[in-house]
Amino acid sequence: MIAEDLGIEAKEAAVREVAKLLPVPDLLQSISSIKADYISRQQANDAQLSTMVAEQVEQAQAGLKSVSLSENTINELRENFVSIEKLCQECQTLIENHDQIKLLSNARNNLSKTLKDIEGMMSISVEAAEARESLSDDKELINTYERLTALDGKRRFALAAVASHKEEAGRIREYFEDVDRTWETFEKTLWGHIGNFYKHSKESPQTLVRAVRVVEMQELIDHQLAEEAAEAEGDGAMASIGNARRTSKDGKRTSAVASSKNLMQQKLKVQGKGYKDKCYEQIRKTVEERFNRLLTELVYEDHKAALEEARVIGVELGDVYDYVAPCFPPRYEIFQLMVNLYTERFVQMLRLLSDKANELTNIEILKVTGWVVEYQQTLIDLGVDESLAQVCSESGSMDPLMNAYVERMRATTRKWYLNILENDKTQPPKKTEEGKLYTPAAVDLFRILGEQVQTVRDNSTDVMLYRIALAIIQASSLLTLQSIITMNFKLLVMNDFQAAERKRLEEPASEIGLEPLCAMINNNLRCYDLAMELSNSTLEALPQSYAEQVNFEDTCKGFLEVAKEAVHETVTVIFEDPGVQELLVKLYHKDWSEGQVTEYLVATFGDYFADIKMYIEERSFRRFVEACLEETVVVYVDHLLTQKNYIKEETIERMRLDEEVLMDFFREYISVSKVESKVRIMSDLRDLASAESLDTFTLVYTNILEHQPDCPHDVVEKLVGLREGIPRKDAKEVSLPLNIFINDGHDKRIFLAQFPSATQEKV
């Protein structure tokens, strides 16, 4: 049944395959080509299978042959071993006194070994002398080391042989005293070569390489001895652990095992000669000697000579990179070690100079920072990471010097610009071709800053020391200390300049005058533009980490704030004008009702606006117009609330006309939407004053609160009290529900729910 099922499945599968090959009746004509292709593929598969089977048969035959040969060889070896064993047994029966012969042979071997050891001991002094003689030739440094190492091996072997005999061990040590003296001479020579690494690397690099190779060879020996000692101690420790396990009982087993492990770890610490550490130490001593004169003499006696010496020492790092570092294995990282050693001592030098910051002139301080720039650039050119190259500038060692420089320049510059501002008070403002007013203060301020930049540049060395805010900061890969100094200096000076101008604005506006105020507006706008140019060029040139620490934005905005204050003072000049004051006093009186105030006031404004529009920039003029409109509205509202006349229908109409006059005048200068937003409070108060019901009062006051959230409800009481024909008692009845309305969060529904009759109540 299974076979039949399989046959059926095969037929069905074949039918499906044929259906796939011949999905369309027209393809029946290709049956012959499909059959031919099938036959050719079958023949190729048969040929491939025949070849593979033949190869497998050959490999199997070769394997059987190898197995047969191996079996024959094993049988021959077994026969040979049996033959050897028989011969050995026969020899034992042929020799008489076998035990005595064995003892004699051992005695002969021991005597020969003893004579050889004696000969070796007698040659120790000779070999040590030869090693000393070879020290005179630098080329024999490695051979000398190998000879001394061999002598050390003999010493260890001899001492191990007599380890149980203290007297003999003492006598053997005497034989090796000459070896110890030779070792001392050799190590003195070795460390002399290592310490003289700078000279050897350029004049005789082979000598330095040999010395470093000796250090490497000794490190390998120390490592081998440590491993041997660790293995020996490890076996003893494991034995002690085993004994502890056998002898311990209950809870004592764990503590015994732990103590045995600790003992093993302590014994694994084997001290070698530590040549690598001594090599590093010798390099440190050499660097200290190189810096000794700089740090103990020159930095105290001659600042100029100290910087020159530091410059020469810093240049040596290039030779260290080119000549010294290749003589050492890369894993020693000699160049990085030298950079760290040099930088540490240069930082020490800078700290010593900073301790005398008050004694150094500004030029000397700039020379110090200039050297730091050179040193940083040298490190970067040698491939040192920028963050590591800036250790000198970021260590804080330069802070006292930079602070001293900034404070001196700040005081000097402050004196200059105060004189400039004082001169502005006595000299009338100048006019541009377009009629805009200005004084030299803004230009002179940034001219002063430029002169400070030029001073630094004139006193720098061949490397461009100074790239600062006015597009003179070096490429972003190098941040100079002068950049930091001058940026801080500029920010402080600009802030001080703004403070001085604000102090002048504290004077009465009428005493300052309209034209000086207009000139001040233009000056601060110009300062803002110059400061923004400085900001953009500085932030583009600085690395991101430093750019985030420089806050130009607040300082630049400070000029705009001063200009804004000057704009308001300009408005004050207009409102303090005696003619304007005379008109404002008449508000809400007879002349006002007759239209002789607001119309005349806007006419006066027109005269002022014509002059001011010519004096200041367009962007400032628009701000001035808005400020003037705001002040006008405030004055009108204040006079409305402080006047004591009753509000009549004629008053309401005059208020409406005032709004129209102001709207018509101010929309000639600024947009209608801005004028409407400023005048809206006047319209709202007029609506409030003309309201005929409590509900209307509430709605109007709600609108006022939407635009003036801080408007107090006392305004409502005052306006209601000023309405003609409303007794004081009725005014309180109106203000009482409004107070509840305000306390309940301006929600009209709460107000109407508590006072339902207020919806139709007439005032």
Side-chain angles (χ1 to χ4, degrees), residues 366 369-370 373-374 405-406 409 448-475 478-490 534 538 541:
L366 293 177
T369 57
V373 173
E374 288 184 3
Y405 178 83
V406 170
M409 288 298 96
I448 291 171
L449 299 179
E451 288 176 354
Q452 297 305 315
V453 173
Q454 191 62 43
T455 299
V456 176
R457 294 181 61 185
D458 292 343
N459 292 278
S460 64
T461 56
D462 294 338
V463 179
M464 182 64 67
L465 300 179
Y466 208 77
R467 292 287 188 269
I468 56 167
L470 300 174
I472 313 175
I473 295 179
Q474 205 169 354
L478 174 63
L479 173 68
T480 65
L481 284 173
Q482 286 83 2
S483 301
I484 299 174
I485 291 176
T486 308
M487 283 188 298
N488 292 336
F489 163 67
K490 286 178 177 291
L534 171 64
T538 300

Side-chain angles (χ1 to χ4, degrees), residues 377-402:
Q377 186 60 53
T378 298
L379 296 182
I380 292 174
D381 292 342
L382 292 173
V384 177
D385 185 79
E386 186 175 346
S387 60
L388 297 177
Q390 294 175 358
V391 169
C392 284
S393 59
E394 295 182 349
S395 63
S397 58
M398 294 289 295
D399 290 351
L401 291 174
M402 293 195 299

Side-chain angles (χ1 to χ4, degrees), residues 146-161:
E146 291 176 343
R147 290 175 180 176
L148 292 174
T149 302
L151 289 173
D152 266 356
K154 290 182 179 181
R155 171 161 46 188
R156 286 196 302 271
F157 177 78
L159 291 175

Side-chain angles (χ1 to χ4, degrees), residues 162-334:
V162 296
S164 59
H165 301 82
K166 294 183 179 180
E167 295 180 1
E168 294 183 9
R171 286 195 294 270
I172 288 176
R173 287 191 179 91
E174 293 176 0
Y175 283 102
F176 288 93
E177 289 180 354
D178 199 20
V179 177
D180 292 335
R181 288 191 292 271
T182 306
W183 265 116
E184 292 176 1
T185 305
F186 171 79
E187 290 184 349
K188 184 177 180 180
T189 303
L190 174 66
W191 302 131
H193 291 328
I194 295 293
N196 202 19
F197 63 87
Y198 188 77
K199 180 179 179 181
H200 280 323
S201 66
K202 302 180 72 173
E203 298 179 0
S204 179
Q206 299 87 349
T207 301
L208 181 58
V209 171
R210 294 188 192 101
V212 175
R213 185 178 174 188
V214 168
V215 174
E216 286 284 279
M217 294 169 68
Q218 184 59 46
E219 285 293 306
L220 289 175
I221 292 175
D222 289 348
H223 183 68
Q224 292 173 358
L225 293 176
E227 286 184 345
E228 293 174 0
E231 291 177 359
E233 296 295 340
D235 293 340
M238 292 304 296
S240 65
I241 292 173
N243 293 333
R245 286 176 176 173
R246 288 192 295 270
T247 57
S248 62
K249 294 182 180 180
D250 301 331
K252 297 181 179 180
R253 174 176 296 183
T254 303
S255 60
V257 171
S259 61
S260 299
K261 288 183 178 180
N262 293 334
L263 180 63
M264 180 179 68
Q265 292 175 356
Q266 292 175 1
K267 290 184 177 181
L268 284 176
K269 296 179 181 179
V270 178
Q271 295 292 335
K273 290 190 176 183
Y275 270 17
K276 187 176 180 181
D277 293 337
K278 291 180 181 178
C279 174
Y280 285 143
E281 184 60 29
Q282 188 61 46
I283 292 175
R284 290 189 183 92
K285 289 181 180 179
T286 302
V287 173
E288 288 178 358
E289 292 173 0
R290 181 70 182 89
F291 277 81
N292 183 61
R293 180 168 175 266
L294 172 64
L295 297 178
T296 58
E297 298 178 15
L298 297 180
V299 77
Y300 296 104
E301 300 172 0
D302 190 341
H303 303 146
K304 183 177 180 181
L307 288 180
E308 188 60 34
E309 178 71 6
R311 186 172 290 107
V312 172
I313 295 175
V315 172
E316 292 176 358
L317 284 176
D319 294 333
V320 171
Y321 184 87
D322 294 332
Y323 300 104
V324 178
C327 295
F328 288 81
R331 61 188 180 86
Y332 276 53
E333 297 183 346
I334 289 299

